[in-house]
Amino acid sequence: MPGPTVGPGGDTSTAPAAPPGTPSVIGRAAAGRATIAVLGGLAALGPLTTDLYLPGLPAIAEDLTAEPAAVQLTLTSSMFGVAAGQLLFGPLSDRFGRRPPLLVGLVVYTVSSVVCVLAPDLAVLVAARFVQGAAGSAGLVIGRAVARDRFQGVAMLRFLASIALISGLAPILAPIIGAQLMRFTSWRGTFGALTALGLLLALAAFGALRETLPPQARDGGGVGAALRTIGRLLRRLPFLGLALTSSLSFGALFGYISGSSTVLQQVYQVSPQAYSLLFGLNSLSIVVVTQLNGRVLAARFTARALMLGGLAVVLAAGVALVLLTGVWDLGLVGFCVPLFVLMGGLGVVLPNAAAQALSLVEPRVAGTASALLGTGNFLCGALVAPLSSLGGRPSAVLLAVVVLACGVLALLAYVTLCRTATATAGAGRRTDGGAGGTANG
């Protein structure tokens, strides 16, 4: 298999490039592992921020004398914060480099977590959660931009897969850790744990992450230039198609995440412990397939073949979910098996969509492109989340329809808008058309 090529996007080897003066391959490998560990931790910060405190929601309602439905605003505000924050930190990282905005974001995250600990009422907690989500999004958006700075093609997918391995464990472990924390402390203690995590990641990023976007490669414009870049990217049909495909696929994922808890526990009478086990198995599915995609499949198939295959699996899982819950009603098995398959399909679609989209842009606007991808994902997730509970009662059939609709729209977006994209993930082939190329075919 031919080795990865070097292009304007940076080094495409699987080991991250070493800073000048690094004396040995061992030193470069250690630096690469440190980079992956820190970026994986930054990517995990989002799901940890979302899930760690969830076991304490009833305690928050009681302590702050608030309705449970109102306390849910702490989750919604955090999601909108993540979406908005990426649009801020992405362009900032293109203009000032990757390190300064990332470190500022982590400091703000830590301070806002302290405010959550000390919040005297629900209004302050909701506002602090918005800031916490926005600041925490710096790690999500800048981590993808760093991958574009340093890698292309197969190497980028492998790098993203390594990060996903770490961050993918977060939604599995977060509810378990949060529940254990609630045994020894209050809900304020869970935000204290997030404060400590933010501080630890800030120190680790300061020590382990070097700048990957040199001054001469930065986008020197202001707000107007950032808006023009956003407009230019959205007018680029292959990029727009991949962004929509990613967002709609994420909508299918979040439709499952937001609705499965009530459906499993109230419709199928599953215990909280059994729900945690099923949730963990599905999360394991997407983690394993993501690793398989980055380390095996990406070297053997083009990105288009992988995208079409992954979307076909997502669509098939959605169809099966509708049939097995709404037509034949096979009970718990008919609900859980298609969801397990769905998560595996998303393990192919989501990382390939991000890698292919970032391969279509030059490194100097990779932060803005990454921001558009992430913002679209979280906005779509926030819009889809309440759909599975329309009518006020949990419904397995309604959740299945939401998943299927997102899968159909994602496939349509890809096949209609990405026909001119020739970005590939196979055998080290180039994935862009040059320093500003759009990979036309």
Side-chain angles (χ1 to χ4, degrees), residues 393-433:
R393 298 179 60 186
S395 168
V397 178
L398 189 54
L399 187 151
V401 170
V402 169
V403 169
L404 177 59
C406 288
V408 170
L409 292 174
L411 180 60
L412 287 175
Y414 186 75
V415 298
T416 57
L417 296 176
C418 300
R419 287 177 296 178
T420 59
T422 60
T424 64
R429 290 188 289 270
R430 286 281 302 275
T431 60
D432 62 0

Side-chain angles (χ1 to χ4, degrees), residues 38 49 106 146 177 189 193 212 359 385 429:
V38 173
T49 301
L106 289 172
V146 168
I177 297 173
T212 59
S359 294
R429 290 188 289 270

Side-chain angles (χ1 to χ4, degrees), residues 59 74 82 91 105 116 134 182-183 207 270 318 322-323 332 343 379 430:
T74 60
V82 172
C116 290
M182 288 297 296
R183 294 179 59 189
V270 168
V322 170
L323 292 176
L332 183 61
M343 296 292 277
L379 283 179
R430 286 281 302 275

Side-chain angles (χ1 to χ4, degrees), residues 6-24:
V6 175
D11 181 12
T12 62
S13 65
T14 56
T22 302
S24 66

Side-chain angles (χ1 to χ4, degrees), residues 50 52-64 66-68 70-75 122 125 129 182 187 190-191:
T50 300
L52 190 69
Y53 86 116
L54 291 181
L57 286 179
I60 294 175
E62 181 179 354
D63 188 28
L64 299 182
E67 293 294 329
V71 175
Q72 290 287 340
L73 290 174
T74 60
L75 178 60
L122 185 61
L125 182 60
R129 285 284 290 170
M182 288 297 296
W187 64 269
T190 61
F191 285 109

Side-chain angles (χ1 to χ4, degrees), residues 109-431:
Y109 178 90
T110 304
V111 173
S112 62
S113 298
V114 173
V115 176
C116 290
V117 174
L118 303 176
D121 54 47
L122 185 61
V124 172
L125 182 60
V126 169
R129 285 284 290 170
F130 178 85
V131 176
Q132 188 186 42
S137 71
L140 290 171
V141 65
I142 293 176
R144 288 191 297 263
V146 168
R148 178 61 184 96
D149 292 341
R150 305 178 76 166
F151 304 111
Q152 294 184 101
V154 178
M156 188 192 301
L157 276 172
R158 287 175 177 166
F159 186 75
L160 292 174
S162 297
I163 294 174
L165 177 61
I166 301 172
S167 62
L169 295 175
I172 302 175
L173 299 177
I176 300 173
I177 297 173
Q180 295 305 310
L181 285 173
M182 288 297 296
R183 294 179 59 189
F184 303 103
T185 184
S186 67
W187 64 269
R188 297 181 187 273
T190 61
F191 285 109
L194 291 175
T195 302
L197 178 61
L199 181 59
L200 177 63
L201 284 173
L203 295 174
F206 182 80
L209 291 184
R210 63 184 182 87
E211 183 58 64
T212 59
L213 188 67
Q216 65 272 18
R218 296 174 188 172
D219 188 358
V223 175
L227 292 176
R228 287 191 294 272
T229 297
I230 290 173
R232 187 168 66 251
L233 289 172
L234 292 178
R235 288 192 300 271
R236 199 177 284 184
L237 289 185
F239 180 87
L240 176 62
L242 288 162
L244 288 174
T245 301
S246 177
S247 297
L248 290 164
S249 299
F250 194 84
L253 172 64
F254 213 82
Y256 150 72
I257 291 175
S258 62
S260 62
S261 175
T262 53
V263 169
L264 284 170
Q265 295 185 64
Q266 296 183 26
V267 175
Y268 294 109
Q269 303 300 312
V270 168
S271 68
Q273 292 76 19
Y275 165 71
S276 298
L277 176 62
L278 292 171
F279 188 85
L281 286 174
N282 284 339
S283 299
L284 187 62
S285 172
I286 195 171
V287 170
V288 170
V289 174
T290 298
Q291 298 307 301
L292 180 66
N293 171 75
R295 300 179 185 279
V296 178
L297 300 179
R300 291 166 170 77
F301 301 97
T302 65
R304 185 170 181 82
L306 288 174
M307 286 292 293
L308 289 174
L311 287 168
V313 171
V314 170
L315 185 61
V319 171
L321 193 59
V322 170
L323 292 176
L324 296 180
T325 58
V327 179
W328 297 310
D329 191 14
L330 295 187
L332 183 61
V333 173
F335 182 73
C336 291
V337 172
L339 287 175
F340 185 84
V341 176
L342 169 74
M343 296 292 277
L346 292 174
V348 174
V349 173
L350 291 173
N352 276 287
Q356 192 176 358
L358 291 174
S359 294
L360 299 178
V361 305
E362 58 270 29
R364 69 181 182 85
V365 297
T368 302
S370 176
L372 287 174
L373 291 172
T375 298
N377 286 355
F378 278 89
L379 283 179
C380 190
L383 293 174
V384 165
L387 295 182
S388 60
S389 298
L390 289 177
R393 298 179 60 186
S395 168
V397 178
L398 189 54
L399 187 151
V401 170
V402 169
V403 169
L404 177 59
C406 288
V408 170
L409 292 174
L411 180 60
L412 287 175
Y414 186 75
V415 298
T416 57
L417 296 176
C418 300
R419 287 177 296 178
T420 59
T422 60
T424 64
R429 290 188 289 270
R430 286 281 302 275
T431 60

